[in-house]
């Protein structure tokens, strides 16, 4: 293993925490003997080119500093390669790091643990989802949740987290069933109406919402959660249960475990790891053992 590793930094993550977090993380890594170089990029596309260049050049590891969006970008560079991914989670949601039992918003500790894992050769090989030509580590969203993302992205006021809350209120007012065509593992097409369909490589998105609570990162399968048609009152009553994962027991919720799923629905956009994939139809598949992640030996995981 080369002693040079790469920090992949999003300076805007967590309202500027990304840029601030890079320094203590780099210091912790240098303290245990690693040479650290930083990759920024003028935008996401440029950053990805630079990250892939580092991976192709033989960097010992690519450490993503930011939130789930930055980790998602890093996955595009390391998936399918022997280069391990490290996570310095300083974003808003941090669902990928939380699932792996890694530190949240503690860059010095995260950097130290990543350095120790590199020294010990401690990695965990996990699955990834793939849809629309893009890798994802957490959940592919479609339906009510992706409409909230669409609406939030259209809002121009700098309201931070309140933008998402306002988007939820607006979408609740417009709530209506969505006609889906779903194909599980290449089987017959199922025509249903649903409020949303989520496809999970991991259990959570949105900062701890365990929409696909049963999903495991290393079982070779995707968990598909279908929330059937419901009223605003029912959705608001069931929604808090998502943080505990107990919504899966509700009569309107069904779950499937598959290797691949195709989703079709008019006017619906798919988002994975919070990033826009594009309009449905989309086919998502599980790719077993797609990436190695740096984890300390005692990380609790899911």
């Amino acid at each position: 293993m080369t002693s040079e590793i790469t920090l992949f930094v999003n300076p805007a993550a967590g309202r500027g925490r990304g840029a601030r977090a890079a320094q203590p993380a780099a210091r912790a890594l240098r303290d245990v003997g690693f040479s650290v170089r930083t990759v920024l990029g003028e935008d996401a596309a440029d950053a990805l080119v630079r990250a892939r260049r580092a991976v192709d050049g033989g960097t010992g590891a690519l450490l993503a500093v930011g939130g789930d969006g930055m980790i998602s970008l890093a996955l595009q560079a390391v998936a399918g390669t022997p280069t391990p991914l490290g996570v310095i989670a300083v974003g808003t949601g941090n669902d990928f790091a939380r699932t792996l039992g890694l530190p949240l918003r503690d860059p010095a500790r995260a950097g130290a643990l990543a350095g120790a894992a590199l020294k010990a050769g401690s990695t965990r090989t996990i699955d990834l989802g793939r849809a629309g030509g893009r890798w994802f580590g957490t959940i592919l969203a479609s339906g009510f949740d992706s409409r909230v993302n669409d609406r939030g992205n259209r809002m121009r006021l700098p309201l931070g987290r309140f933008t998402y809350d306002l988007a939820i209120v607006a979408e609740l007012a417009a709530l209506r069933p969505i006609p889906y065509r779903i194909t599980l593992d290449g089987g017959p097409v199922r025509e249903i109406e649903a409020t949303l369909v989520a496809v999970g490589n991991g259990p959570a998105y949105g900062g701890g919402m365990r929409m696909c609570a049963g999903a495991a990162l290393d079982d070779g399968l995707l968990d598909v959660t279908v929330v059937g048609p419901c009223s605003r009152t029912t959705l608001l009553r069931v929604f808090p249960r998502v943080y505990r994962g107990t919504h899966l027991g509700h009569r309107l919720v069904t779950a499937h475990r598959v290797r691949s799923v195709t989703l079709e629905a008019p006017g619906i956009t798919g988002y994975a790891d919070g990033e826009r994939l594009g309009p449905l139809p989309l086919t998502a598949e599980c790719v077993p053992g797609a990436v190695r992640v740096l984890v300390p030996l005692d990380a609790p995981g899911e």
Side-chain angles (χ1 to χ4, degrees), residues 241-276:
R241 296 172 59 177
V242 173
Y243 286 93
R244 301 186 302 275
T246 57
H247 65 291
L248 294 178
H250 194 277
R251 62 180 179 79
L252 292 176
V253 179
T254 57
H256 311 272
R257 194 159 283 166
V258 299
R259 291 180 177 83
S260 68
V261 57
T262 298
L263 304 178
E264 303 175 66
I268 298 298
T269 303
Y271 284 80
D273 293 341
E275 303 298 308
R276 187 181 190 276

Side-chain angles (χ1 to χ4, degrees), residues 3-142:
S3 63
E4 181 181 275
I5 58 178
T6 303
L7 281 183
F8 189 39
V9 181
N10 177 5
R15 299 182 184 178
R17 281 195 296 267
R20 295 191 297 272
Q23 296 177 7
R27 191 178 307 117
L29 290 159
R30 291 188 179 108
D31 285 347
V32 292
F34 289 100
S35 172
V36 180
R37 61 188 296 261
T38 300
V39 166
L40 286 168
E42 296 178 3
D43 52 29
D46 180 55
L48 180 55
V49 167
R50 293 170 187 250
R52 283 176 169 157
R53 190 176 299 146
V55 170
D56 292 343
T59 187
L62 185 71
L63 274 66
V65 184
D68 286 325
M70 194 63 178
I71 293 163
S72 179
L73 196 60
L75 287 175
Q76 314 312 309
V78 298
T81 78
T83 303
L85 172 70
V87 177
I88 313 296
V90 293
T92 303
N94 300 315
D95 291 292
F96 189 77
R98 184 182 292 106
T99 299
L100 289 164
L102 297 174
L104 308 182
R105 303 185 186 93
D106 189 346
R109 181 165 174 259
L113 289 175
L118 275 167
K119 288 281 188 180
S122 176
T123 62
R124 179 180 173 189
T125 300
I126 64 170
D127 309 333
L128 292 176
R130 188 160 176 82
R134 188 175 180 90
W135 300 97
F136 65 95
T138 58
I139 292 178
L140 187 162
S142 76

Side-chain angles (χ1 to χ4, degrees), residues 132-171:
R134 188 175 180 90
W135 300 97
F136 65 95
T138 58
I139 292 178
L140 187 162
S142 76
F144 177 78
D145 44 6
S146 67
R147 280 178 165 165
V148 169
N149 268 323
D150 279 339
R151 187 177 290 271
N153 290 340
R154 292 195 300 269
M155 292 180 176
R156 296 303 178 209
L157 294 175
L159 298 174
R161 179 69 186 180
F162 289 115
T163 299
Y164 189 77
D165 295 336
L166 286 173
I168 288 176
V169 171
E171 284 304 320

Side-chain angles (χ1 to χ4, degrees), residues 178-204:
I178 299 166
Y180 278 91
R181 290 166 54 88
I182 301 178
T183 306
L184 304 174
D185 282 336
V189 175
R190 305 180 184 205
E191 297 191 2
I192 65 169
E193 288 194 330
T195 299
L196 66 85
V197 179
V199 181
N201 179 62

